[in-house]
Amino acid sequence: MAGPTRIIDDTHAPLALALQALQLSGTLYCQGVMTAPWGIDVPSLDDQVGLLIITAGTAHLATATDETRLLQPGSLTLLTRGQPMQLASAPGASLTALEDLPVEPVTRRFERVFHGGGGAETRFTFALMKIEDPTTRQLFRELPESIEVNGWDALVETWLRSTVQLISEEARLMRPGSETLITRLADILVIQLIRRWLEHAGPGERGWLAALHEPGLGRALAAIHTDPATNWSLDSLASIAAMSRSAFCARFTTMLDTAPMKYVTRHRLARAREALVQTQDSLADISERYGYGSDAAFSRAFKKYYGMAPGRVRAGRQPH
């Protein structure tokens, strides 16, 4: 039985769907107080996103793919790949491995680091966030490796300037509750920076974001992501896209490198896998939520796709 045929309001569909997909979990927040000369060697952090905010002084940031950049007070840098980086008072400064820095825990997820040779002071806030959702991973694969904004630039939106100023003030004073405010504001800044980039950057020629910007494909993708339990068919998705079945299938495959129904299956099973790992929901509830009529049908599809039964994933032996 085919799913319902609907037309979805696509006025803001690409941006809304991309932002709704964002699921990040803050794992560590750090306030750094560095005195020149200093340098930090940060290793690769798989499936993690880093937000670096320079609240006072300056720093030089180097990654494998970019030239060394001078970061001024108020600069925000979102590192979307968890790539290795070096942060230092000057190019060529001696580096200390991140794990070897002296740490002062404040709470379970917030810490302070004091390091350096006693010279000019630099303060920064660094937030590390784990990507929790398969659609979020898909979105981050299409973002640039880093998004950088000068939060105190006169051309930057007022909300961003005021947020950076508030983080800087809280980091300077560290009053009771400052760590809570800083962590909450850092989470908001990540979403706002991505939204700002999506609003200002044009879509590429192919890929998920480019497909979202095509009215027909955008409506179909919004339907798949909004209602994964619906019994979607090629006919119902083509109707939502207001395209013929053959034209929809060809365009979808060209833009996303996979056929529409394979995309539906992949999305459902990826969401179901996250539910198995992150929740205690029953197999029956997960099966129904993601469009499978029975536990047996879900288990067969899951094992075919991932090569192991859902129970093994829940037990911690997750597929790679």
Side-chain angles (χ1 to χ4, degrees):
M1 180 178 176
T5 298
R6 297 171 298 164
I7 298 297
I8 295 175
D9 177 14
D10 64 343
T11 307
H12 302 291
L15 181 59
L17 182 55
L19 292 172
Q20 288 167 8
L22 280 175
Q23 290 187 31
L24 297 168
S25 176
T27 58
L28 179 67
Y29 301 85
C30 173
Q31 182 204 4
V33 180
M34 306 286 117
T35 55
W38 60 272
I40 307 172
D41 189 17
V42 182
S44 177
L45 303 164
D46 292 338
D47 274 344
Q48 306 231 33
V49 175
L51 175 65
L52 175 65
I53 308 168
I54 304 298
T55 55
T58 61
H60 289 79
L61 173 68
T63 64
T65 55
D66 286 324
E67 295 181 357
T68 300
R69 288 172 285 167
L70 173 63
L71 304 182
Q72 302 282 357
S75 71
L76 296 90
T77 304
L78 182 65
L79 299 163
T80 64
R81 303 283 192 276
Q83 64 266 46
M85 69 173 186
Q86 292 80 45
L87 195 64
S89 55
S94 179
L95 301 175
T96 300
L98 179 66
E99 59 269 23
D100 293 335
L101 291 175
V103 172
E104 177 187 302
V106 178
T107 66
R108 184 174 60 87
R109 293 192 304 157
F110 190 93
E111 62 188 31
R112 296 192 189 103
V113 176
F114 300 89
H115 179 62
E121 186 176 272
T122 295
R123 290 175 177 258
F124 63 78
T125 294
F126 185 70
L128 193 61
M129 300 173 187
K130 187 172 180 60
I131 299 175
E132 297 283 6
D133 177 76
T135 307
T136 303
R137 292 192 191 98
Q138 189 168 20
L139 169 60
F140 271 83
R141 281 195 293 268
E142 299 194 26
L143 294 175
E145 289 193 347
S146 66
I147 299 173
E148 188 174 331
V149 173
N150 179 357
W152 290 347
D153 192 310
L155 298 177
V156 168
E157 294 87 342
T158 302
W159 65 262
L160 200 154
R161 290 201 306 274
S162 60
T163 304
V164 174
Q165 287 168 349
L166 181 54
I167 287 179
S168 299
E169 186 69 3
E170 292 295 333
R172 183 179 69 85
L173 298 174
M174 287 310 295
R175 296 170 293 191
S178 286
E179 66 273 11
T180 301
L181 268 174
I182 290 171
T183 57
R184 298 288 193 276
L185 291 171
D187 292 350
I188 291 169
L189 276 178
V190 170
I191 296 172
Q192 296 282 33
L193 284 173
I194 293 172
R195 181 172 72 173
R196 189 176 189 275
W197 185 86
L198 290 171
E199 288 174 339
H200 288 83
E205 294 182 1
R206 296 175 61 194
W208 192 66
L209 288 174
L212 283 178
H213 279 80
E214 291 197 8
L217 295 186
R219 287 194 298 268
L221 285 167
I224 294 167
H225 284 258
T226 303
D227 297 317
T230 296
N231 186 22
W232 296 115
S233 69
L234 189 57
D235 287 332
S236 61
L237 290 172
S239 295
I240 287 174
M243 300 169 70
S244 71
R245 175 187 169 114
S246 59
F248 171 72
C249 187
R251 187 61 181 163
F252 193 103
T253 303
T254 296
M255 293 296 288
L256 291 155
D257 288 327
T258 189
M261 298 316 296
K262 286 186 177 180
Y263 182 94
V264 170
T265 298
R266 185 181 71 190
H267 175 68
R268 284 174 171 166
L269 292 176
R271 295 292 301 274
R273 177 183 175 275
E274 294 298 315
L276 286 167
V277 172
Q278 297 177 17
T279 75
Q280 296 300 316
D281 296 346
S282 69
L283 197 61
D285 287 342
I286 294 173
S287 301
E288 182 178 358
R289 188 183 312 150
Y290 295 110
Y292 291 90
S294 67
D295 297 1
F298 169 62
S299 295
R300 283 194 300 271
F302 192 94
K303 187 171 184 179
K304 181 178 180 181
Y305 189 81
Y306 283 116
M308 62 175 63
R312 289 186 62 195
V313 173
R314 172 152 280 176
R317 290 168 290 194
Q318 302 170 24
H320 297 285

